[in-house]
């Protein structure tokens, strides 16, 4: 998305930022933008009507239960939403955050390197290429697809433009950013070698935390998240693609504890945004005073025991804030 945002879009972005500072949720701020209402489910293609659930900033499909962001953002709006502040070259998080991110990607690469057959892996929505680089360090060829970044293992291409034979295709918190996620999965399944693996981590829109925090849930992330998926919709799609689901985890997908922490802190007066507070100054959506950051951090420390307990409950109930899936193509096919 190389288009520069138009002035009109930029002023919408500023308004969303101002709304965030006034304690209005990003979801509500986005729902007030002037983009056209969404007419179809981005997952199953169902045409929306009065039977669907019209929520703030999204519509939940009566056919498949997946919600689609509405209004449907233009390319210009998405370009503005992924502007430099979202992922600056200096890294997104302050202090330990980026280090933790690198370590968890490294652990994921270790696991998948053991599980998948020899051959290259494709990371769709690769960010700055941390996961692809972790595979390369293990001696495995890896390519990351990412429209908003450059790097030694990164290509600016859509999954539909990729061909060849791949040992694994990974959608690590990227499927929800795609305009046609079901089509992307279908194409990805066709790229797998026999025994190859499709790996998906996405926010779980029917999780306990999604229901607890509603329009303020961290992982709604409008308008960047275009679809809001649930486990049954994903699993039935993988089944239809002929893949065998080998693992479903409600913890491995990451962000579960942070989803609770962010939600609990956001309930406080002034609705402090913990996600913005942990980001580097240049990576924040709205300006934060040091006092507001301190308030958010102190609240997070106080809320941590509750967040850990809530995480344990929702993971045990198999209703965690993220869903992680490993699905394999039949080795004999
Ligand atoms: Zn649908």
């Amino acid at each position: 998305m190389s288009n520069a945002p138009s002035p009109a879009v930029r002023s919408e972005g500023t308004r969303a930022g101002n709304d965030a500072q006034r304690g209005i949720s990003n979801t509500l701020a986005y729902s007030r933008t002037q983009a056209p209402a969404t007419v179809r489910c981005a997952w199953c293609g169902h045409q929306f009507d009065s039977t669907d659930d019209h929520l703030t900033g999204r519509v939940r499909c009566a056919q498949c239960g997946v919600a689609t962001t509405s209004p449907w953002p233009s390319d210009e709006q998405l370009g503005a939403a992924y502007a430099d502040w979202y992922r600056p070259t200096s890294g997104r998080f302050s202090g330990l955050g980026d280090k933790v991110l690198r370590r968890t990607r490294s652990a994921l690469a270790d696991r998948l390197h053991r599980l998948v057959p020899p051959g290259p892996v494709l990371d769709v929505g690769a960010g700055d290429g941390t996961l692809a680089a972790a595979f390369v360090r293990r001696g495995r060829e890896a390519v990351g697809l990412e429209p908003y970044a450059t790097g030694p293992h990164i290509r600016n291409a859509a999954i539909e433009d990729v061909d060849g034979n791949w040992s694994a295709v990974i959608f690590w918190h990227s499927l929800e950013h795609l305009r046609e996620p079901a089509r992307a999965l279908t194409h990805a399944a066709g790229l797998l070698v026999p025994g190859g693996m499709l790996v998906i981590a996405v926010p779980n829109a029917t999780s306990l935390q999604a229901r607890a925090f509603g329009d303020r849930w961290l992982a709604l992330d409008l308008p960047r998240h275009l679809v809001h998926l649930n486990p049954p919709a994903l699993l039935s799609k993988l089944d239809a693609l002929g893949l065998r689901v080998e693992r479903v985890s409600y913890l491995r997908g990451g962000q579960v504890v942070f989803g609770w922490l962010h939600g609990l802190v956001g309930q406080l007066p002034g609705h402090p945004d913990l996600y913005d507070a942990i980001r580097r100054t240049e990576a924040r959506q709205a300006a934060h005073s040091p006092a507001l950051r301190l308030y958010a951090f102190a609240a997070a420390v106080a809320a941590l025991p509750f967040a850990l307990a809530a995480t344990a409950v929702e993971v045990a109930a198999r209703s965690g804030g993220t869903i992680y899936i490993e699905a394999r193509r039949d080795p004999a096919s």
Side-chain angles (χ1 to χ4, degrees):
M1 222 138 295
S2 55
N3 291 352
S6 71
V9 169
R10 200 174 290 136
S11 72
E12 286 296 346
T14 305
R15 190 172 90 180
N18 291 341
D19 281 348
Q21 280 176 293
R22 289 201 308 271
I24 295 172
S25 76
N26 290 334
T27 301
L28 185 56
Y30 177 67
S31 73
R32 291 173 176 173
T33 62
Q34 301 301 313
T38 301
V39 292
R40 281 181 186 282
C41 172
W43 185 249
C44 77
H46 161 69
Q47 187 142 12
F48 289 138
D49 53 34
S50 59
T51 61
D52 303 287
D53 208 357
H54 293 256
L55 306 165
T56 304
R58 63 224 189 266
V59 181
R60 189 160 48 223
C61 177
Q63 302 288 314
C64 70
V66 171
T68 300
T69 292
S70 180
W72 188 245
S74 64
D75 285 352
E76 287 73 20
Q77 277 180 312
L78 283 183
Y82 289 108
D84 291 344
W85 68 266
Y86 182 68
R87 201 174 267 156
T89 48
S90 52
R92 273 181 286 172
F93 304 108
S94 40
L96 283 173
D98 277 326
K99 247 182 224 145
V100 171
L101 214 58
R102 268 199 303 280
R103 189 155 301 173
T104 53
R105 294 298 182 279
S106 192
L108 179 66
D110 265 339
R111 174 182 173 80
L112 296 177
H113 187 55
R114 282 198 313 272
L115 288 176
V116 309
V121 301
L122 183 65
D123 182 18
V124 183
D128 59 5
T130 308
L131 181 60
F135 279 109
V136 170
R137 278 200 304 277
R138 285 157 182 77
R140 190 185 279 270
E141 193 187 330
V143 172
L145 304 181
E146 180 59 63
Y148 304 103
T150 54
H153 316 294
I154 302 292
R155 271 167 45 190
N156 181 357
I159 174 79
E160 289 85 355
D161 298 329
V162 175
D163 53 19
N165 302 303
W166 300 82
S167 299
V169 181
I170 303 161
F171 292 86
W172 184 263
H173 290 279
S174 60
L175 196 58
E176 66 274 29
H177 293 259
L178 302 181
R179 288 192 183 274
E180 296 183 277
R183 181 166 167 246
L185 280 190
T186 303
H187 187 83
L191 298 175
L192 294 175
V193 298
M197 193 178 263
L198 194 58
V199 179
I200 302 167
V202 290
N204 175 6
T206 51
S207 60
L208 290 184
Q209 57 178 263
R211 283 178 273 168
F213 301 125
D215 294 344
R216 289 189 181 277
W217 183 41
L218 173 67
L220 278 183
D221 199 20
L222 303 183
R224 286 173 291 274
H225 290 185
L226 298 168
V227 283
H228 309 275
L229 291 154
N230 62 70
L234 267 174
L235 294 171
S236 69
K237 174 69 181 172
L238 295 171
D239 189 50
L241 291 173
L243 301 175
R244 191 179 67 242
V245 173
E246 292 191 348
R247 186 178 182 98
V248 177
S249 167
Y250 291 90
L251 189 59
R252 191 177 289 281
Q255 305 179 7
V256 184
V257 177
F258 191 77
W260 279 105
L261 263 186
H262 178 273
L264 290 168
V265 170
Q267 302 294 305
L268 294 172
H271 304 294
D273 187 329
L274 187 60
Y275 186 62
D276 250 9
I278 64 164
R279 292 164 74 95
R280 292 175 194 262
T281 311
E282 61 274 26
R284 284 179 213 141
Q285 188 162 18
H288 273 58
S289 69
L292 192 60
R293 285 189 86 197
L294 193 62
Y295 172 43
F297 287 137
V301 170
L304 186 59
F306 299 98
L308 290 172
T311 298
V313 169
E314 74 169 1
V315 170
R318 301 186 65 73
S319 185
T322 60
I323 176 170
Y324 171 89
I325 301 174
E326 293 167 354
R328 199 184 289 273
R329 179 179 163 188
D330 184 350
S333 67

